[in-house]
Amino acid sequence: NAGVMQNPRHLVRRRGQEARLRCSPMKGHSHVYWYRQLPEEGLKFMVYLQKENIIDESGMPKERFSAEFPKEGPSILRIQQVVRGDSAAYFCASSPTSGGAVEQFFGPGTRLTVL
Amino acid sequence: AQTVTQSQPEMSVQEAETVTLSCTYDTSESDYYLFWYKQPPSRQMILVIRQEAYKQQNATENRFSVNFQKAAKSFSLKISDSQLGDAAMYFCAYREDMGRRALTFGSGTRLQVQP
């Protein structure tokens, strides 16, 4: 059973461009979480999705950021008009259910660099 | 809002010795879960150990154990017989039982293991 897949692993964008980060959860997992890690900091929650639904987007900036998890295909975190402050590692995690004790399995992350 | 505090930015331990990493948290909930994650240089987040707040018995996983003090809202990680492969960032994390599904992370402790 393959783990959580994220691509690309590294992404370089110039200010004003769009960044698309992809996350394929583990097989059988229908819950996806996105976290952002700024340099030398812990992970900060951004958004929680189930198939075709956004459940909790309380950690995601209201502007320029959006996320989706379609019925078919990976979850996408989209950042429009990137700025230097968006440079960070973005981690996706998945779980089979949403219970409190259920482990979230993390992908290897996408490191976004904005020039 | 829940907060997780790791007051030790860096710790160092000699190989084969024991080290304890500290974590405190703040919550008004009575049921919740606590986790320690390891992030090696590869940046992959790996679950080390988990504790259910309703359990009085401290969790143990091989060389890793926790000291969970619910009244003091303290959750420390003890690593026995430290190995070179234990060198990593360690993050303490909190998750509600019934409410918010997101993990709340501390800022991390960088553990160095000296040969």
Side-chain angles (χ1 to χ4, degrees):
Chain A
N1 190 3
V4 178
M5 310 285 284
Q6 288 189 249
N7 67 81
R9 294 291 307 276
H10 300 274
L11 182 61
V12 179
R13 285 287 179 266
R14 297 190 180 280
R15 282 178 294 171
Q17 292 184 321
E18 178 180 289
R20 280 183 178 243
L21 288 62
R22 293 175 182 76
C23 169
S24 296
M26 288 180 70
K27 187 176 181 180
H29 289 196
S30 58
H31 300 255
V32 166
Y33 313 80
W34 284 94
Y35 295 85
R36 176 165 66 176
Q37 184 179 30
L38 296 172
E40 304 304 317
E41 293 187 14
L43 280 70
K44 296 285 195 296
F45 168 75
M46 298 183 73
V47 60
Y48 161 43
L49 311 100
Q50 290 182 42
K51 282 286 187 181
E52 300 183 275
N53 291 299
I54 295 176
I55 307 302
D56 180 358
E57 56 182 349
S58 60
M60 196 158 67
K62 294 287 187 283
E63 297 181 358
R64 303 187 298 108
F65 286 74
S66 63
E68 63 178 12
F69 189 17
K71 186 176 180 180
E72 302 291 337
S75 175
I76 306 286
L77 179 67
R78 181 182 178 204
I79 311 172
Q80 295 179 290
Q81 299 176 321
V82 296
V83 300
R84 290 221 172 106
D86 297 332
S87 294
Y90 292 81
F91 288 91
C92 166
S94 74
S95 64
T97 65
S98 64
V102 175
E103 181 179 351
Q104 293 182 13
F105 294 83
F106 282 82
T110 293
R111 182 173 293 190
L112 172 65
T113 302
V114 179
L115 301 177
Chain B
Q2 291 83 7
T3 57
V4 178
T5 302
Q6 293 179 252
S7 58
Q8 306 155 314
E10 288 194 17
M11 292 284 284
S12 183
V13 64
Q14 291 289 133
E15 198 174 2
E17 297 293 309
T18 296
V19 65
T20 299
L21 308 184
S22 301
C23 173
T24 58
Y25 57 94
D26 187 25
T27 182
S28 58
E29 302 291 325
S30 58
D31 293 323
Y32 49 87
Y33 297 86
L34 296 164
F35 306 84
W36 278 98
Y37 279 87
K38 172 184 177 181
Q39 186 180 45
S42 67
R43 303 180 71 87
Q44 179 75 51
M45 295 290 286
I46 302 165
L47 179 63
V48 174
I49 199 165
R50 144 180 53 205
Q51 174 78 42
E52 294 87 347
Y54 63 85
K55 287 187 178 179
Q56 292 187 331
Q57 186 172 5
N58 289 323
T60 299
E61 289 286 342
N62 300 313
R63 297 183 295 107
F64 298 87
S65 61
V66 299
N67 184 2
F68 173 49
Q69 302 288 331
K70 190 173 184 179
K73 296 181 181 175
S74 170
F75 182 60
S76 60
L77 175 69
K78 185 170 84 171
I79 306 174
S80 303
D81 185 25
S82 297
Q83 301 175 359
L84 295 177
D86 295 333
M89 285 291 290
Y90 286 83
F91 293 98
C92 179
Y94 165 99
R95 189 183 193 193
E96 292 179 8
D97 181 30
M98 296 299 294
R100 199 158 178 256
R101 303 290 84 199
L103 289 162
T104 300
F105 286 89
S107 56
T109 296
R110 184 178 303 279
L111 178 66
Q112 296 181 333
V113 181
Q114 307 297 334

